[in-house]
Amino acid sequence: MLLPTATYCGSDTKTVKFEVNPTDVRYQTTDGKTTGASPYVLNAGQVDRDRPSEPRKDVNGKITALGELRARLTGLQDDINEFLTERMELAKGKKPRLAKQEQRIESEIKELLDGGDGDDDADGL
Amino acid sequence: MGLDHSLKLQIPFENARQAAIAKEVLRPDPILKPQDFQVDYTTDQNVLRVNFQSIDERVLRVGVSSVIDSIKTIIETIDELDTPSISTGSTI
């Protein structure tokens, strides 16, 4: 049985292992949740012409080993994409604090500069 | 800022030859921003190992998903076209 795996290691030394459960339907389809056209585009009436083909079957109608591998890899790709998206959201949550700080500094600088302009104006320049 | 986000992907193929084909197909793909993202392909018998390193999660997500898309295409191509008569050939 061909089972792909993945291991993530982040800057905070967090290690996460991704494994495939072949009995789970998530790992039995080539139609991934996080890949392909977005629901917004599909709901607007667009046809997804790049939709992946079904896993290949042999003459007996059984899915080939490589067909199964492709389906499992699709599920693993969804797992990784969802995990990294979550991590991105967390990172984004940290950013606003920094952004606020930057905004405050920027407004302080602007205030100082504006004040400087005002003084200049007062001097008749 | 270093490439301190990493992901190691291991994909077992049916045999070492298929893993080697996948590696050789993926290897020429250029990395557009090597300062932000790097990929390394190796094989260990029938297993293709792909090591990703990235500056952050966003770049990692885009790069990993793109490489996995390519690997899925390679798997599909081998599945559809690599007939037993071709497989018996000694060269890749």
Side-chain angles (χ1 to χ4, degrees):
Chain A
M1 194 177 270
L2 307 174
L3 298 173
T5 60
T7 310
Y8 166 83
C9 190
S11 56
D12 51 3
T13 66
K14 186 183 179 181
T15 301
V16 178
K17 191 157 188 188
F18 299 91
E19 285 173 334
V20 165
N21 174 7
T23 59
D24 190 331
V25 288
R26 182 178 174 87
Y27 306 101
Q28 294 170 2
T29 176
T30 52
D31 196 10
K33 287 179 183 170
T34 59
T35 49
S38 73
Y40 180 81
V41 171
L42 294 174
N43 290 339
Q46 287 292 317
V47 178
D48 186 5
R49 295 182 203 281
D50 294 325
R51 195 182 167 138
S53 62
E54 292 290 312
R56 197 170 80 87
K57 291 176 180 168
D58 62 18
V59 286
N60 300 316
K62 189 178 176 292
I63 295 173
T64 61
L66 288 177
E68 284 180 340
L69 174 62
R70 193 158 63 90
R72 288 170 193 153
L73 191 55
T74 302
L76 189 74
Q77 184 181 24
D78 281 342
D79 291 344
I80 294 167
N81 281 345
E82 283 170 6
F83 169 77
L84 289 176
T85 302
E86 207 175 288
R87 297 271 302 178
M88 280 162 56
E89 293 299 320
L90 284 173
K92 212 190 278 179
K94 286 176 190 168
K95 269 185 186 168
R97 266 182 281 162
L98 286 172
K100 267 184 190 170
Q101 207 173 338
E102 278 171 21
Q103 213 173 6
R104 181 182 57 80
I105 293 166
E106 205 173 307
S107 69
E108 281 176 7
I109 291 169
K110 204 178 169 210
E111 209 175 303
L112 284 169
L113 289 173
D114 284 349
D117 284 339
D119 286 344
D120 287 346
D121 290 339
D123 293 341
L125 291 171
Chain B
M1 213 171 171
L3 303 180
D4 48 8
H5 296 76
S6 72
L7 191 122
K8 293 178 182 183
L9 188 62
Q10 279 137 52
I11 300 160
F13 282 81
E14 289 178 304
N15 52 55
R17 184 176 163 278
Q18 290 177 353
I21 289 172
K23 187 183 87 171
E24 292 306 313
V25 171
L26 290 162
R27 215 160 44 107
D29 277 355
I31 302 298
L32 296 177
K33 288 187 174 179
Q35 70 274 23
D36 293 346
F37 182 76
Q38 286 180 9
V39 194
D40 177 47
Y41 305 103
T42 55
T43 53
D44 181 5
Q45 295 184 22
N46 69 317
V47 179
L48 171 70
R49 295 183 195 278
V50 190
N51 290 341
F52 303 91
Q53 283 186 300
S54 169
I55 195 163
D56 63 19
E57 284 97 351
R58 187 183 58 83
V59 175
L60 188 66
R61 188 195 184 283
V62 173
V64 168
S65 200
S66 167
V67 170
I68 292 178
D69 279 340
S70 298
I71 294 171
K72 289 194 296 187
T73 302
I74 293 165
I75 292 169
E76 188 179 5
T77 307
I78 293 173
D79 202 14
E80 292 286 343
L81 304 175
D82 192 25
T83 60
S85 60
I86 295 170
S87 299
T88 53
S90 57
T91 55
I92 290 171

